[in-house]
Amino acid sequence: MSTSTGGAIFKTALIALILTLLPLPAWLAILRPEFLVLTVLYWSIQAPFAGGIGLGWFSGLLLDAFQGPVLGEHALAVALVAYLGVHEHQRIRTKPLLQQSLMVFAVLVLYEFVLFAVDGWSGHPLTTPLRWVPTATGALLWPAVAALLSRSYRPRT
Amino acid sequence: MAFFGTRGSARNRGGAAGFRFFLYALVSIVLMVLDQRLDWLERIRYGLQAITYPVETALNSPVTAWRWIKSDFAARDALEAENQRLRTRVRDLEIRSLRLEAVEAENAALIGLKKALPPVAERWLPADIVNIQFGGLRQRILVDRGARNGVFRNQVVLDDYGVVGQTMHVGPWSAEVLLITDPDHDLPVQIERTGYRTIAVGTGDPQAIALPYLPANADIRVGDVLVTSGLGGVFPSGYPVARVTHVHPGAVQPLARVQAVPFAHLETDREVTLLWFRQSSPAAPLKENGGQLTSGVPAAQPLPAPKPSTPAPMCTPASGGPAPARPAAPAQLPGAHAAVKPKASSPPGGPRKP
């Protein structure tokens, strides 16, 4: 199972990265949820020992390479998301989707706060309230993302 | 997931997860500090640009293809109209530049120079915008010219209408351009009408830059033109930046007091121009430490104090030169701009010429 899960993780993470980087009109780009973070969170909850924190860290490093003002910023934030997912996977997995969305919202807010803090600390402050929009859209889209991701590997197990 | 073991082992793994997170967080923080404080991660950045550039080009290819198809099927009429428009524009610019040469010569004569100065821009290179990064919040673009084309960090980027920004991370074939509207970007400007120098700060909105550091009684009106002041070491003086659109001296938010709309068509540009400057020209940007600014956004570096004697050399003869100039100062320096050059102000320059 672990190889097929690994393959599914790799494929879905790649698709999420593409969705994150796809050029979009400005207003849509502001609404765009952090697909890669949602994917990492999903796998941390569903298969906590397959990808885990390393997956989160490397995904974050990729985000840094493409869009981080400071190397290591997203790596830290996504690793935190993965850690929370792994640590709380039993608690989150058993909840209905609506409650899951609320928990995901909390995790995403924490993620965005880490970015916000590091941005400010490193001298690239971005204080507009618009930066918090993706946390809301991410939480709203969580049920859809979770459903899609669960299809990516269920049939093989 | 049932076979992941008993509760006990899961708890063990949970502890291991905490430890691993601690390690990863430590590595991230070390990375951030290195990236922030030291220069040698610039090599890694260079490599990363080489890796990310093809990916971003590929992701942007549908847009490029669409534009290509659209332009390929553009009607003959539209092309002819565009051709006509461009021809008119070229003629207009040519006529204006004829006058400009005359004015430059006149100006040079007035400020006591022996011959007309060479233009400050030495070389230019058009670059296509490959990708507009970071959606709407951070204002950065990726262009398809890099170190292989001679592009360097903190290079000036213009379009046909005004200042666009400056390069940040430069890869072998691509470079990231920080736009003047990015919240990180500080641009030393001058109000053209009054000559008052201040700093224009990006707002994150491609249609606005702000002047938060003006005193409440500053002489500024709607319609005033902002040009680069030549301070800060990146932009040479005199390039058009923006036109003032809002003046609200009582606004609570500093960024809302005075706002200006950039001349550059930041949202619709497909092509920008990279410039190389003649260092010997008096209008060239002022550099400290030989131009090697070590960290941060160079425009945000402390500016050298403006000389109180700036207007004085206007009437000094070319032979005398301004009083603070060192004997080592090149002969063509005396003149209105010469006093702004930091020849006398840079401490590291002192012991070099005993």
Side-chain angles (χ1 to χ4, degrees), chain A residues 1 17-18 21-23 26 29-30 32 46-55 57-58 61 64-73 75-76 79-81 83 86-87 90 93 118-119 121-126 128 130-131 153, chain B residues 1 3-4 7 10 13-21 24-29 31-33 35-37 41 44-45 48-49 51-53 55-56 59-60 62-63 131-138 140 168-169 176 183-184 297:
Chain A
M1 175 194 162
L17 181 69
I18 289 173
L21 298 175
L22 211 61
I30 288 171
R32 163 160 51 197
Q46 283 304 327
F49 308 119
I53 297 156
L55 168 74
W57 194 78
F58 281 106
L61 203 64
D64 278 327
F66 281 100
Q67 41 179 235
V70 192
L71 275 185
E73 179 184 14
L76 174 66
L80 175 67
V81 168
Y83 169 68
V86 170
H87 194 252
Q90 282 166 334
R93 204 158 47 180
V118 174
D119 276 349
W121 168 74
S122 63
H124 310 270
L126 194 61
T128 160
L130 284 178
R131 70 172 300 153
Y153 82 117
Chain B
M1 296 296 155
F3 58 88
F4 272 130
R7 222 179 135 72
R13 290 204 184 217
F19 181 65
R20 267 186 305 165
F21 170 66
Y24 278 119
L26 212 62
V27 174
S28 313
I29 290 167
L31 252 184
M32 285 190 277
V33 171
D35 196 21
Q36 191 72 6
R37 309 269 175 231
L41 270 190
I44 297 175
R45 284 279 189 182
L48 282 178
Q49 283 269 333
I51 298 166
T52 55
Y53 174 57
V55 179
E56 286 181 328
L59 285 175
N60 208 39
V63 181
N131 196 359
I132 296 168
Q133 290 172 315
F134 303 174
L137 297 181
R138 298 223 184 253
R140 284 159 208 212
M168 289 181 70
H169 304 299
E176 209 179 297
D184 272 0
V297 179

Side-chain angles (χ1 to χ4, degrees), chain B residues 88-109:
Chain B
T88 323
R89 190 169 155 75
V90 166
R91 198 176 301 141
D92 180 49
L93 290 176
E94 268 173 1
I95 289 168
R96 277 200 223 175
S97 71
L98 281 178
R99 181 74 193 117
L100 180 73
E101 273 167 26
V103 170
E104 265 180 0
E106 202 176 287
N107 198 18

Side-chain angles (χ1 to χ4, degrees), chain B residues 129-151:
Chain B
I129 296 175
V130 179
N131 196 359
I132 296 168
Q133 290 172 315
F134 303 174
L137 297 181
R138 298 223 184 253
Q139 304 277 315
R140 284 159 208 212
I141 56 176
L142 191 73
V143 297
D144 66 344
R145 306 284 185 178
R148 294 291 168 93
N149 306 99
V151 176

Side-chain angles (χ1 to χ4, degrees), chain B residues 287-308:
Chain B
K287 298 240 171 189
E288 282 188 301
N289 311 327
Q292 293 306 307
L293 298 163
T294 47
S295 69
V297 179
Q301 297 286 311
L303 300 172
K307 302 286 176 303

